[in-house]
């Protein structure tokens, strides 16, 4: 009898799986029937369910709905779904909608425009240009944004013409500026420079022009962007800093160092982030000291973390020494210390574990457990045989969060010799979260 039990259990399990599969097939068949034969509201609801589940198995039925030219609401729902899925099956119908734009409901037309742009349908520029002058502002903006995806020089020239036109609605010109940045066509540079450098222009348009000039990164833009970077308005400086980050470091290095001293925290953070790359020895000698100061003492956490990450990207002994000092220093905020450790384990895991052991020894059992937990969190995401003994030791920590992270790190690193300890932990640890992590780690060994 006992020998028959596994067989019976297997048969029951197979029957259950077969039943679930049958139920799933029946449910899918019902959805297909609804798509083909349901009333519009049912079809739209079914399409939203498909969209939420990201199921791509109903494409033939959805394509048929489009070819049958069901109601505008149903067609829009299908086209929006195809846009999310980047499915090419609706291109022909969307092109028909675009061609008949004057007789098409605006919402359906906008969906068709956005879909064709998302799937990068070829030859859109000429069809979209008339829609920029639509009486409906939403249709016009959708067309302008889609023109930015066409990679067509004719689209760039068209948008430049709209910017120069006194008859074109002023409220649409900002989107033209952004679309020119997306196109990255040099034909737009002169017009964008005239906007960015004109302090009488609308502030937002100047900011957008700076952004687009950065994306095109024509060297002709550098003088204007440097001038904007020295203006009194913090938002103008921020957009200029972001634009300068798109250029060669040799062209913008002095401006970035100055940006680290800016009164605005966002400008400082952007400047630090842009400096986070491989620098020449002379550039590193100039950048590391000020970045080290920002990493340790800047008043804003976002700037400190940006500077820490930049130091890691630059590398070198002086930069790593600063990061070790931050991680090991009790006077530094926990977020800074965690960020520094995250960089260090990626750059020099073996050389960092000494500092880790010191921190664990001096701060375990203190009133504030956050640094120990942060250390365990970072180590759980690291990979390397050097972690074995450290993670094994953390399994005995009094803090359940630390034990849980230790188990996660052991599983991720494949330290199979610790299976017995994980098994015991999965069964006996007093904390349910730690038990769960131990069980999940066991499954990976």
């Amino acid at each position: 009898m006992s020998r028959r039990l596994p067989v019976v259990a297997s048969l029951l399990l197979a029957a259950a799986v077969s039943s679930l599969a049958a139920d799933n097939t029946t449910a899918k068949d019902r959805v297909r029937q609804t798509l083909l034969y349901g009333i519009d509201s049912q079809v739209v609801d079914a399409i939203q369910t498909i969209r939420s589940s990201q199921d791509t198995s109903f494409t033939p039925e959805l394509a048929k709905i489009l070819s049958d030219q069901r109601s505008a609401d149903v067609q829009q729902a299908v086209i929006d779904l195809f846009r999310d899925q980047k499915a090419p099956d609706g291109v022909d119908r969307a092109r028909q909608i675009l061609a008949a734009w004057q007789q098409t409901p605006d919402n359906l037309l906008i969906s068709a425009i956005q879909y064709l742009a998302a799937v990068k349908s070829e030859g859109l520029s000429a069809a979209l240009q008339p829609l920029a002058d639509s009486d409906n502002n939403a249709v016009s903006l959708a067309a302008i944004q889609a023109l930015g995806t066409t990679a067509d020089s004719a689209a760039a020239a068209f948008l430049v013409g709209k910017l120069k036109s006194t008859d074109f609605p002023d409220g649409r010109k900002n989107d033209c500026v952004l679309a020119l940045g997306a196109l990255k066509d040099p034909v737009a540079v002169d017009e964008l420079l005239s906007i960015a450098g004109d302090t009488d222009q609308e502030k937002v348009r100047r900011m957008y022009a700076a952004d687009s000039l950065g994306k095109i990164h024509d060297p002709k833009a550098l003088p204007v962007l440097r001038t904007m970077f020295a203006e009194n308005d913090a938002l103008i400086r921020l957009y200029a800093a972001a634009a300068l980050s798109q250029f060669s470091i040799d062209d913008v290095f002095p401006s970035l160092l100055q940006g680290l001293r800016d009164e605005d925290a966002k400008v400082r953070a952007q400047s630090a982030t842009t400096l986070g790359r491989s620098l020449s020895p002379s550039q590193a000698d100039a950048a590391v000291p000020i970045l080290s100061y920002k990493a340790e003492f800047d008043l804003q956490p976002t700037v400190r973390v940006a500077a820490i990450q930049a130091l890691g990207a630059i590398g070198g002994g002086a930069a790593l020494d600063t990061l070790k000092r931050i991680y090991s220093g009790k006077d530094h905020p926990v977020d800074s210390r965690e960020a520094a450790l995250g960089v260090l384990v990626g750059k020099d895991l073996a050389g960092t574990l000494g500092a880790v052991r010191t921190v664990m020894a001096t701060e375990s059992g203190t009133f504030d457990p956050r640094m120990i937990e942060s250390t365990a969190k970072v180590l759980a995401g690291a990979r390397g045989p050097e972690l074995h003994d450290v993670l094994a030791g953390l399994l005995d920590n009094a803090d359940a969060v630390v034990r849980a992270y230790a188990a996660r790190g052991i599983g991720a690193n494949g330290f199979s010799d610790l299976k017995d300890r994980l098994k015991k932990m999965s069964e006996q640890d007093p904390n349910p979260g730690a038990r769960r992590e131990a069980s999940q780690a066991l499954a990976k060994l």
Side-chain angles (χ1 to χ4, degrees), residues 306-324:
I308 286 168
Q309 292 170 342
L311 288 169
I314 294 168
L320 295 184
D321 286 345
T322 296
L323 297 180
K324 289 178 181 177

Side-chain angles (χ1 to χ4, degrees), residues 45-250:
D45 287 345
I47 292 170
Q48 296 307 323
T49 300
I50 295 168
R51 193 175 180 181
S52 299
S53 65
Q54 301 180 351
D55 191 335
T56 59
S57 65
F58 297 98
T59 298
E61 290 79 16
L62 294 167
K64 188 175 189 314
I65 288 174
L66 282 183
S67 67
D68 290 345
Q69 298 186 26
R70 298 279 293 272
S71 73
D73 288 344
V74 171
Q75 291 188 70
Q76 182 182 350
V78 175
I79 289 172
D80 288 344
L81 172 60
F82 280 171
R83 182 192 65 213
D84 290 351
Q85 296 179 345
K86 299 293 191 295
D89 304 79
V91 168
D92 289 344
R93 178 58 188 146
R95 283 184 170 279
Q96 293 172 3
I97 292 169
L98 189 58
W101 63 274
Q102 291 172 310
Q103 293 81 42
T104 301
D106 291 335
N107 288 342
L108 176 58
L109 177 60
I110 290 169
S111 288
I113 293 169
Q114 293 172 340
Y115 164 66
L116 291 170
V119 298
K120 301 189 183 303
S121 181
E122 295 182 1
L124 272 184
S125 178
L128 288 170
Q129 288 176 24
L131 276 70
D133 293 310
S134 169
D135 292 336
N136 185 300
N137 195 53
V139 171
S140 173
L141 295 184
I144 291 169
Q145 291 165 3
L147 282 167
T149 70
T150 60
D152 187 348
S153 291
F158 171 80
L159 291 170
V160 168
K162 291 300 180 184
L163 285 175
K164 292 179 177 180
S165 172
T166 56
D167 296 327
F168 193 66
D170 197 64
R172 300 178 182 182
K173 289 187 176 181
N174 287 350
D175 285 88
C176 291
V177 171
L178 292 173
L180 287 169
L183 284 166
K184 302 180 182 180
D185 195 303
V187 73
V189 169
D190 289 342
E191 181 63 20
L192 292 173
L193 284 174
S194 70
I195 295 171
D198 184 358
T199 55
D200 291 330
Q201 282 271 3
E202 178 190 347
K203 172 181 165 180
V204 171
R205 189 166 303 158
R206 294 185 66 215
M207 289 157 46
Y208 287 173
D211 179 76
S212 291
L213 287 167
K215 290 174 179 174
I216 299 171
H217 49 80
D218 188 311
K220 287 197 302 184
L222 284 169
V224 168
L225 292 174
R226 290 189 186 111
T227 299
M228 295 178 74
F229 198 48
E231 291 188 23
N232 291 329
D233 190 282
L235 274 176
I236 292 287
R237 296 199 306 276
L238 176 60
Y239 270 75
L244 288 170
S245 71
Q246 305 293 318
F247 290 83
S248 164
I249 191 68
D250 294 332

Side-chain angles (χ1 to χ4, degrees), residues 94 138 144 188 252 266 286 305 313 323 328 365 370 385-386 412 420:
I144 291 169
V252 300
K266 292 180 180 178
V305 171
L323 297 180
S328 302
R370 289 179 300 162
E386 306 94 332
D420 289 344

Side-chain angles (χ1 to χ4, degrees), residues 284 287-289 291-293 295-296 307-329 332 336-337 339-353 355-356:
V288 167
L291 282 170
S292 296
Y293 176 85
E296 292 200 71
I308 286 168
Q309 292 170 342
L311 288 169
I314 294 168
L320 295 184
D321 286 345
T322 296
L323 297 180
K324 289 178 181 177
R325 184 167 62 249
I326 292 171
Y327 168 62
S328 302
H332 291 293
S336 294
R337 298 177 70 185
L341 179 60
V343 173
L344 286 167
V345 298
K347 302 286 288 187
D348 181 19
L349 177 58
T352 302
L353 290 181
V356 168

Side-chain angles (χ1 to χ4, degrees), residues 384-403:
E386 306 94 332
L387 289 164
H388 180 281
D389 292 347
V390 175
L391 292 174
L394 294 182
L395 288 177
D396 296 322
N397 196 276
D399 189 324
V401 174
V402 173
R403 297 196 302 275

